[in-house]
């Protein structure tokens, strides 16, 4: 009940800064679990996705473990049931990481939940996201429980955000950028924040994903 309240409040906060247009939302209501594979323009897109679809499905995100070290963020991630994944960019090379993620993801999918995992594993480095040799999503798709749907999610409008790499090509500091965003939120008296147009386009790619797996088996 408390988490539901937090989500409603946070959705209101995000709605003051982002004007979100969604297509294909009916795909989230399908019976059985769903695996959502989005592109990753900025640190804020997982937050927008979650608050927009939470009333249609029970969402479980796969999240970089570094976010579990941020005190307040860690609290909400654990309450949310997020699945931590080793931070490869910091040198943590867990040889069993894919096996561990796969087992946890499959458990949640069998429960009929919606799992979000980013195939690229990192923020876009340019305006066009490239997914090179990322095996995590491939391995998960190859072992999907029956009746699980695979949904591609095209996110637009967040490249250029302060939460993205567009400003200087560097990975933005999440906590510092978040605190700066909170400051501007109140500096604009909540209701006068300039809004960024964001699009979420959900597409059923189940058959295409399974065909790609079959070709490479």
């Amino acid at each position: 009940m408390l988490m539901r309240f937090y989500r409603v409040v946070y959705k209101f906060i995000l709605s003051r800064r982002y004007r979100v247009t969604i297509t294909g939302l009916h795909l989230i209501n399908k019976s059985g679990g769903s695996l959502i594979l989005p592109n990753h323009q900025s640190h804020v897109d997982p937050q927008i996705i979650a608050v927009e679809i939470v009333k249609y499905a029970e969402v479980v995100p796969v999240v970089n473990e570094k976010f579990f070290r941020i005190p307040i963020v860690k609290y909400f991630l654990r309450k949310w049931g997020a699945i931590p994944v080793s931070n490869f960019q910091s040198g943590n090379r867990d040889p069993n990481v894919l096996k561990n993620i796969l087992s946890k993801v499959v458990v949640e999918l069998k429960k009929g939940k919606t799992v979000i995992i980013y195939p690229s594993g990192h923020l876009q480095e340019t305006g066009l996201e490239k997914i090179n040799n990322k095996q995590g999503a491939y391995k998960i798709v190859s072992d999907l429980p029956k009746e699980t749907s695979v949904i591609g999610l095209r996110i637009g409008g967040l490249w250029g955000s302060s939460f993205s790499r567009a400003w200087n090509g560097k990975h933005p500091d999440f906590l510092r950028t978040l605190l700066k965003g909170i400051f501007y939120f109140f500096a604009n008296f909540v209701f006068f924040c300039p809004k960024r147009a964001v699009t979420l386009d959900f597409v059923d790619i189940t058959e295409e994903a399974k065909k790609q797996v079959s070709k490479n088996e």
Side-chain angles (χ1 to χ4, degrees):
M1 189 67 178
L2 188 59
M3 283 299 291
R4 184 179 300 175
F5 171 75
Y6 288 147
R7 286 164 180 162
V8 170
V9 171
Y10 199 54
K11 182 174 182 178
F12 169 77
I13 293 172
L14 290 175
S15 70
R16 298 300 90 206
R17 181 66 182 91
Y18 303 99
R19 184 173 62 254
V20 183
T21 302
I22 307 176
T23 57
L25 191 56
H26 64 282
L27 297 172
I28 306 300
N29 279 320
K30 285 187 174 181
S31 59
S34 297
L35 178 67
I36 297 182
L37 305 176
N39 57 313
H40 200 4
Q41 292 192 328
S42 79
H43 280 317
V44 79
D45 54 60
Q47 303 166 55
I48 293 176
I49 296 168
V51 299
E52 292 295 340
I53 70 174
V54 70
K55 74 176 184 177
Y56 302 99
E58 192 170 355
V59 181
V60 177
V62 177
V63 181
N64 191 307
E65 66 178 3
K66 69 180 181 181
F67 292 105
F68 283 82
R69 294 195 291 268
I70 303 174
I72 297 178
V73 175
K74 175 177 66 176
Y75 168 80
F76 286 105
L77 289 177
R78 286 182 174 172
K79 286 289 186 181
W80 199 3
I83 299 172
V85 57
S86 296
N87 183 11
F88 291 132
Q89 292 182 339
S90 67
N92 187 346
R93 300 286 180 175
D94 180 358
N96 296 312
V97 63
L98 288 181
K99 182 179 179 180
N100 292 336
I101 294 172
L102 176 60
S103 62
K104 292 176 182 177
V105 167
V106 169
V107 167
E108 300 303 329
L109 291 174
K110 285 182 177 179
K111 293 178 183 177
K113 296 183 180 181
T114 296
V115 177
I116 301 174
I117 185 168
Y118 289 87
S120 64
H122 57 75
L123 295 182
Q124 288 182 208
E125 297 177 352
T126 66
L128 179 65
E129 183 170 53
K130 295 180 180 180
I131 301 176
N132 299 319
N133 301 317
K134 299 297 181 179
Q135 298 299 312
Y138 172 85
K139 289 184 179 295
I140 290 172
V141 171
S142 66
D143 277 322
L144 283 179
K146 191 177 180 181
E147 304 303 325
T148 298
S149 58
V150 183
I151 301 173
L153 174 54
R154 291 192 290 262
I155 302 170
L158 289 172
W159 177 253
S161 161
S162 58
F163 284 96
S164 73
R165 288 184 170 186
W167 287 58
N168 55 18
K170 296 180 180 180
H171 201 284
D173 182 276
F174 174 78
L175 187 56
R176 184 180 301 172
T177 306
L178 178 62
L179 292 175
K180 187 185 295 183
I182 293 172
F183 168 78
Y184 286 124
F185 177 75
F186 287 107
N188 284 281
F189 300 101
V190 180
F191 292 97
F192 299 100
C193 295
K195 288 191 176 183
R196 175 181 288 274
V198 178
T199 58
L200 303 181
D201 182 18
F202 294 92
V203 181
D204 191 332
I205 59 171
T206 307
E207 294 306 316
E208 179 184 345
K210 290 181 177 179
K211 285 180 182 177
Q212 288 300 319
V213 168
S214 297
K215 287 181 181 177
N216 291 281
E217 286 182 343

